[in-house]
Amino acid sequence: PLDLYNLLTYEALAYWIMVCGTKNSKGLTLQTQSFTIKECVFIISILMHKYGLKCSIHMRSDQPTIYISAKSVRQIKPKLLPYFAPFMIYKLNF
């Protein structure tokens, strides 16, 4: 939605990471293969502007995913933890 800036709260981001986030050795990937590159750029611009996250687009099988650096995840981890299910916290640990 065009008002995603207002909708993408810490709580919403926490749920998104729990459901569609994949931890890797150097950061976190949001599985956004069903989004267009333009939509991913829009989402990244919000994550960068609203939360100061370092993000980029990575292509997987010609489909875009959103990568968030480990440093950025560590930066927002305290804001996300209140919304995380205990068995999902491993996605935030680097």
Side-chain angles (χ1 to χ4, degrees), residues 32-88:
T32 53
Q33 289 92 334
S34 63
F35 292 86
T36 65
I37 291 175
K38 184 177 178 179
E39 291 166 333
C40 288
V41 169
F42 177 62
I43 294 165
I44 285 173
S45 70
I46 293 169
L47 294 171
M48 292 173 77
H49 179 40
K50 188 170 183 176
Y51 299 113
L53 303 181
K54 183 178 178 187
C55 305
S56 58
I57 293 177
H58 291 196
M59 300 301 287
R60 289 189 114 152
S61 303
D62 294 328
Q63 299 296 316
T65 60
I66 296 175
Y67 168 79
I68 304 171
S69 74
K71 182 178 179 181
S72 289
V73 175
R74 283 191 297 270
Q75 169 191 325
I76 62 164
K77 181 178 176 178
K79 300 286 189 180
L80 300 176
L81 279 176
Y83 308 107
F84 254 75
F87 63 93
M88 290 290 200

